[in-house]
Amino acid sequence: MKLNQLRDNPGAKKIHTRLAGVPPRAWQDLGPRRQGAKARAGVSIHGFEGGQMPLYMRLPKRGFHNRFANDFAVINLGRIQTAIDAGKLRGKETLTEADLHAAGLISHGRNGVRLLAKGEFKTKLNFEVAGASRSAIAAVEKLGGSVRRVSRKSST
């Protein structure tokens, strides 16, 4: 054994907290327990600007944000037709949300896909989506396809 290999036994040394020369009866008043936010290193009240009116209170609030609204990934029939023509999407029997996502046509939507009728559509396809507009359903059925509604529960 060499001198640089000498170590204390585990637990032999206890790190002593320096209590700033205060008598033991006052130790309970030291430290972060009773000193408020300023006793906690690096911690401050979020949004507090030193008594100035905080930014989140100065800015106007507009509109209503419905926490329970459905979040659909919206896609138009014209984009689907463009992807089929480009070879990104195969015109197989039934198109699902997973097929549209794999082709890169949709990227989000907690509650599924909503189909809209904008653009030219000329391929007979069956769709399994969470929702569709009446005009999109009419355009798909006009070519002999069908739109089946598949519900998907939200992850909230």
Side-chain angles (χ1 to χ4, degrees), residues 2-154:
K2 298 179 182 169
L3 288 177
N4 67 338
Q5 295 174 339
L6 291 176
R7 297 278 182 266
D8 285 331
N9 291 329
K13 279 191 167 184
K14 182 178 179 183
I15 297 173
H16 175 70
T17 304
R18 184 165 180 253
L19 295 174
V22 178
R25 68 180 184 280
W27 285 353
Q28 64 188 8
D29 295 331
L30 290 174
R33 197 168 111 221
R34 298 211 184 162
Q35 296 296 315
K38 292 186 180 179
R40 290 153 180 83
V43 176
S44 62
I45 300 169
H46 294 292
F48 185 70
E49 298 183 14
Q52 171 178 298
M53 185 64 68
L55 180 68
Y56 72 90
M57 292 179 76
R58 279 181 276 161
L59 295 177
K61 305 329 186 250
R62 297 279 189 257
F64 171 73
H65 301 285
N66 187 358
R67 294 172 32 201
F68 305 106
N70 287 325
D71 178 31
F72 291 114
V74 178
I75 185 158
N76 287 303
L77 290 175
R79 282 194 63 207
I80 294 173
Q81 185 63 48
T82 305
I84 291 171
D85 294 343
K88 289 184 181 178
L89 193 62
R90 287 193 315 226
K92 60 180 191 174
E93 292 179 5
T94 303
L95 277 182
T96 62
E97 178 184 352
D99 299 328
L100 297 173
H101 186 72
L105 296 176
I106 58 171
S107 61
H108 69 282
R110 285 193 317 249
N111 300 108
V113 178
R114 182 160 168 81
L115 204 58
L116 300 181
K118 186 175 180 184
E120 185 182 355
F121 189 66
K122 53 190 175 195
T123 307
K124 177 186 173 184
L125 286 175
N126 298 325
F127 290 95
E128 285 185 1
V129 291
S133 66
R134 288 187 186 126
S135 54
I137 293 171
V140 171
E141 289 177 349
K142 179 180 169 186
L143 296 169
S146 68
V147 177
R148 192 166 75 95
R149 189 166 187 258
V150 179
S151 65
R152 191 169 104 181
K153 298 202 179 204
S154 66

